[in-house]
Amino acid sequence: MAHQHGTDSSLPPTSDKRNSRVNFPADHLKNDQSPDSVLHEKQHEEDVENINYPPPWKWEKYFIGGYSQGRMLKFKNPNTMYKAINLFAGVAIMFYGYDQGVMSQVNLNEDYWNHMGINSPEDSSRNVAAEGGIVAVYYGGTLIGALIAGSLADRCGRIKAVVFGSMWALLGAALQASAYNIAWMCCARVIAGVGVGAIDCVIPVWSAEVSSHSARGAFLAIEFFMNIGGLALAYWIEYFADLNPNKVMAWRTPLALQIIFIIIIGVGINFFPESPRWLMKVGRETEARHVLHATRDADIEFELKSIKKVVKYEIETSGQNHYWAMLFPKDKYSRQLRWRVFLAVWLQIMQELVGIGVVTVYAVDLFQDAGFSLQLSKLLAGFNNISYMFSVVFAVYTLDRFGRRSTMVWGAVAMALILLIAGILDKYAQVKGPNQRAYGAAVAAMTFLYTATFGATWLTTPWLYPTEIFPLNVRAKGGAWSVVGWSIGNGVITMITPFLFQAISYGTLLLLFGLNIFCLPFVILMYPETAGRSLEQMDTFFENGGSWNVFRASHNIRELQIDDWRWTKKLHPEDQKELEKGRRLSSAVRMPEEDEKDARQSWKKRPAYTFRRKASNAGLM
């Protein structure tokens, strides 16, 4: 970030360029500000106080629920509030996992097949298409719900948008549990998708905006532990329900149990704090300050001033913050938004391209193809979900400690190798013979290892990243674009996976190996590191980068003499403190002799040293 003797760097690009550079005199190292700097800071603070807040949206009163300072839960310790918010957001994300996984065994129920008309043996191609289609249309609903909620959350608040989504999800769950034909089920799946898309769009944005920038990764990773817990819960409920001789209740009961989650989310959200950034955006500064006090255990003035500065700038550019303008920009500001939209959407699509939807939704089919019986395949799929859930605990450690880029890159490398081995083993596991069981066991082990690796690396990052790169006034719309990418990726994968298993069998795993390799260059070249940086700091990168290549963008930012220029690197807490105090980052300048140090290494050590140095410069180690 750019500072000059204590001024904040989250200024709009129209501000005085001196505030985005650091020019030290020969006898620097003094903490006193110059008279010009003090005068400019006072003038800017006075300017920030004169914000022309927009009037309330005229339709806001027709949406039920919302934030009330008097109704908000109160705790003496901000850490307790953190835990309560974390737990509640986890319940919402658990519902998303439950809803996504609930169809895995419903698709295996014969009574369900009979009602949907997808059990006729003479038309296997039509049955495969119908099975995948019923699962896939849900993601059409999530896409619609996300776009609606993204706009709604910016107009009338994050909490009301969640309540809106809960109402749709409640209707969809009731219709799914009572469906009697394929048309009914498809309509119910779309309606439920609208609700879940709205909730999934807003909850990550809301939780990120009420948490501090130093804990966002761990905050979201814990939530996604509960997300996979929801997926595992849905699976085991269905497993034991399937033991019931009444096959009707075996698939209707798990679908109906979604209603419990929805009521908790739709009612409970009204007792939690609203996003302080949204409150400030609509002129409710007193309430924003109250929320920050309730959720921060440190001084809030620096963060409050940063929010106000960004709010003023973004209100002035609010005419360019519509979905259409974000896709088809007409000025520099809108082009920055399109850049962020692409990063968010493509990251979610890549999350599905690396193969997790294939392994979780169709795990039973995968294990059966490896030579296991139906009953044993169901048990293996269930235990795989439990392993998947506990693997997310590692993300609490990796995301904030190693950063987003490094976590995704090494996760994709590991998953590619695992899928390559699994695909080769699966080829032999499908051949009858004395070694079939051994090969099948190896495929199962690789499957467990793959899902655990995904849970520790790629599961949370595509949901966390959009909450960190979008500016305040379109952050909910940014979350909506993220869910759009997730919906596209999931919809395509769940639709074609039955055909892939039928057509190329073990080749499906080899295809996923190739897709993991395909995704690596995009992560390395296009995605800046967000770990350790505040939500407002990200604006500096997109305002000054000028290139989709993160290495070129870092170079451009360095040329502008902005301190925080190494956007392949995680920003550590001590570096953040230096930025806030207005001092040049100690790690911002690399001495020329360091770049040539590998030349002095022995010829045996030089390749390893060079690799480590280049990987470190790329933010991968």
Side-chain angles (χ1 to χ4, degrees):
M1 288 295 289
H3 287 269
Q4 181 171 348
H5 301 289
T7 56
D8 184 64
S9 62
S10 55
L11 296 174
T14 55
S15 59
D16 193 332
K17 285 293 183 183
R18 288 176 297 177
N19 292 297
S20 62
R21 300 173 184 268
V22 180
N23 300 310
F24 290 95
D27 59 344
H28 61 285
L29 301 180
K30 294 182 180 181
N31 294 327
D32 296 330
Q33 292 179 301
S34 67
D36 288 343
S37 176
V38 173
L39 177 61
H40 179 82
E41 183 172 345
K42 288 182 178 179
Q43 290 174 341
H44 186 73
E45 288 181 0
E46 291 175 0
D47 187 47
V48 167
E49 294 300 324
N50 299 321
I51 299 177
N52 185 22
Y53 295 109
W57 187 40
K58 63 180 180 179
W59 302 107
E60 179 182 346
K61 60 183 178 182
Y62 297 106
F63 290 86
I64 65 173
Y67 168 72
S68 170
Q69 185 171 319
R71 187 171 56 233
M72 187 183 80
L73 295 171
K74 296 175 177 62
F75 301 99
K76 293 183 179 179
N77 191 333
N79 288 330
T80 307
M81 173 64 85
Y82 253 36
K83 292 175 182 177
I85 293 170
N86 206 355
L87 177 62
F88 179 81
V91 171
I93 299 296
M94 177 180 278
F95 164 64
Y96 144 63
Y98 184 97
D99 199 69
Q100 189 178 22
V102 77
M103 293 299 292
S104 60
Q105 287 198 74
V106 168
N107 283 333
L108 303 176
N109 188 289
E110 291 187 16
D111 184 78
Y112 170 77
W113 293 347
N114 292 331
H115 279 90
M116 300 302 116
I118 57 175
N119 62 341
S120 53
E122 68 277 2
D123 195 2
S124 60
S125 297
R126 182 263 179 193
N127 293 342
V128 169
E131 179 186 346
I134 292 173
V135 177
V137 293
Y138 167 82
Y139 297 104
T142 61
L143 189 152
I144 296 169
L147 292 175
I148 295 173
S151 178
L152 192 62
D154 282 332
R155 291 175 178 269
C156 61
R158 301 354 182 183
I159 290 178
K160 285 195 173 187
V162 171
V163 175
F164 168 82
S166 300
M167 295 172 65
W168 280 86
L170 183 64
L171 177 60
L175 290 174
Q176 285 183 85
S178 59
Y180 271 91
N181 55 60
I182 189 170
W184 187 334
M185 176 58 82
C186 286
C187 289
R189 294 279 293 165
V190 172
I191 292 171
V194 171
V196 175
I199 295 171
D200 290 350
C201 161
V202 180
I203 286 291
V205 174
W206 171 74
S207 63
E209 290 183 338
V210 296
S211 63
S212 66
H213 63 80
S214 61
R216 288 193 307 266
F219 195 93
L220 201 65
I222 293 170
E223 291 175 13
F224 272 87
F225 172 82
M226 299 185 71
N227 164 244
I228 305 306
L231 188 148
L233 177 65
Y235 188 91
W236 284 105
I237 286 176
E238 290 180 317
Y239 179 83
F240 288 109
D242 191 54
L243 301 178
N244 187 342
N246 186 345
K247 296 303 180 183
V248 177
M249 298 307 297
W251 67 272
R252 293 192 187 277
T253 300
L255 291 172
L257 288 177
Q258 298 174 86
I259 294 173
I260 297 175
F261 283 101
I262 299 167
I263 292 174
I264 293 173
I265 295 167
V267 175
I269 189 71
N270 296 283
F271 296 93
F272 282 89
E274 178 60 272
S275 160
R277 291 169 172 83
W278 182 81
L279 290 171
M280 184 67 73
K281 173 188 166 185
V282 295
R284 295 160 67 174
E285 181 177 347
T286 302
E287 291 173 287
R289 184 182 293 273
H290 181 267
V291 168
L292 287 174
H293 274 300
T295 56
R296 306 289 191 271
D297 56 3
D299 182 57
I300 66 167
E301 293 306 316
F302 180 83
E303 183 175 3
L304 194 67
K305 289 180 180 178
S306 298
I307 293 172
K308 290 182 72 173
K309 291 173 183 178
V310 175
V311 163
K312 178 177 174 59
Y313 171 59
E314 292 176 349
I315 287 176
E316 293 171 352
T317 57
S318 60
Q320 298 137 329
N321 297 328
H322 304 296
Y323 286 125
W324 188 260
M326 294 170 76
L327 280 184
F328 302 100
K330 296 182 179 179
D331 53 32
K332 181 180 178 181
Y333 174 74
S334 299
R335 284 193 292 273
Q336 295 170 16
L337 294 184
R338 183 175 62 180
W339 183 358
R340 305 181 206 210
V341 167
F342 176 84
L343 292 179
V345 171
W346 183 237
L347 186 58
Q348 286 284 12
I349 292 175
M350 287 195 295
Q351 185 193 44
E352 297 309 314
L353 291 180
V354 299
I356 191 61
V358 175
V359 176
T360 54
V361 178
Y362 297 99
V364 176
D365 301 277
L366 179 62
F367 288 125
Q368 279 190 285
D369 283 349
F372 294 99
S373 66
L374 175 60
Q375 199 62 25
L376 186 53
S377 295
K378 288 182 178 180
L379 279 173
L380 286 171
F383 286 118
N384 185 45
N385 284 336
I386 293 176
S387 171
Y388 185 16
M389 177 179 68
F390 283 103
S391 71
V392 184
V393 174
F394 290 99
V396 178
Y397 176 81
T398 58
L399 278 177
D400 285 323
R401 184 175 294 267
F402 298 117
R404 305 355 173 190
R405 283 166 53 84
S406 179
T407 298
M408 289 191 291
V409 167
W410 295 113
V413 170
M415 288 188 294
L417 293 175
I418 293 167
L419 288 165
L420 176 62
I421 296 170
I424 296 172
L425 291 171
D426 197 24
K427 176 182 178 181
Y428 296 101
Q430 295 181 28
V431 178
K432 299 290 183 181
N435 296 323
Q436 183 183 23
R437 193 170 186 84
Y439 283 121
V443 171
M446 290 296 104
T447 304
F448 274 64
L449 186 58
Y450 165 80
T451 51
T453 304
F454 179 88
T457 56
W458 272 76
L459 173 67
T460 53
T461 309
W463 292 101
L464 174 63
Y465 206 84
T467 69
E468 298 180 314
I469 64 173
F470 281 100
L472 168 66
N473 60 334
V474 292
R475 193 156 290 145
K477 291 188 178 71
W481 282 118
S482 175
V483 177
V484 167
W486 175 79
S487 301
I488 293 171
N490 264 294
V492 172
I493 292 297
T494 54
M495 186 68 198
I496 68 174
T497 296
F499 291 102
L500 288 175
F501 278 128
Q502 189 180 59
I504 60 176
S505 187
Y506 68 87
T508 304
L509 297 177
L510 298 179
L511 174 63
L512 295 177
F513 153 74
L515 289 174
N516 274 269
I517 299 300
F518 169 76
C519 292
L520 276 173
F522 291 100
V523 176
I524 295 172
L525 296 176
M526 296 180 62
Y527 286 84
E529 182 56 72
T530 62
R533 292 178 168 93
S534 69
L535 296 174
E536 284 68 41
Q537 275 177 286
M538 294 306 303
D539 289 334
T540 296
F541 174 81
F542 291 102
E543 289 167 6
N544 300 283
S547 173
W548 289 56
N549 185 317
V550 67
F551 296 96
R552 180 62 187 172
S554 295
H555 176 77
N556 293 342
I557 293 171
R558 185 182 186 183
E559 290 294 309
L560 293 173
Q561 300 181 23
I562 296 174
D563 286 350
D564 185 14
W565 62 270
R566 301 190 71 174
W567 284 89
T568 61
K569 288 275 194 176
K570 175 192 172 182
L571 192 70
H572 294 280
E574 58 269 21
D575 298 328
Q576 176 67 30
K577 290 179 181 178
E578 290 194 11
L579 287 176
E580 293 182 4
K581 292 179 180 179
R583 298 200 301 267
R584 182 183 291 274
L585 282 174
S586 59
S587 62
V589 178
R590 183 177 175 84
M591 303 303 292
E593 55 267 24
E594 291 180 353
D595 289 327
E596 300 175 3
K597 186 177 179 181
D598 56 340
R600 297 195 297 270
Q601 303 291 318
S602 69
W603 68 272
K604 292 182 179 180
K605 296 180 179 180
R606 190 180 303 166
Y609 174 83
T610 303
F611 172 79
R612 286 197 302 271
R613 178 175 63 81
K614 290 185 176 180
S616 177
N617 287 340
L620 306 180
M621 294 186 68

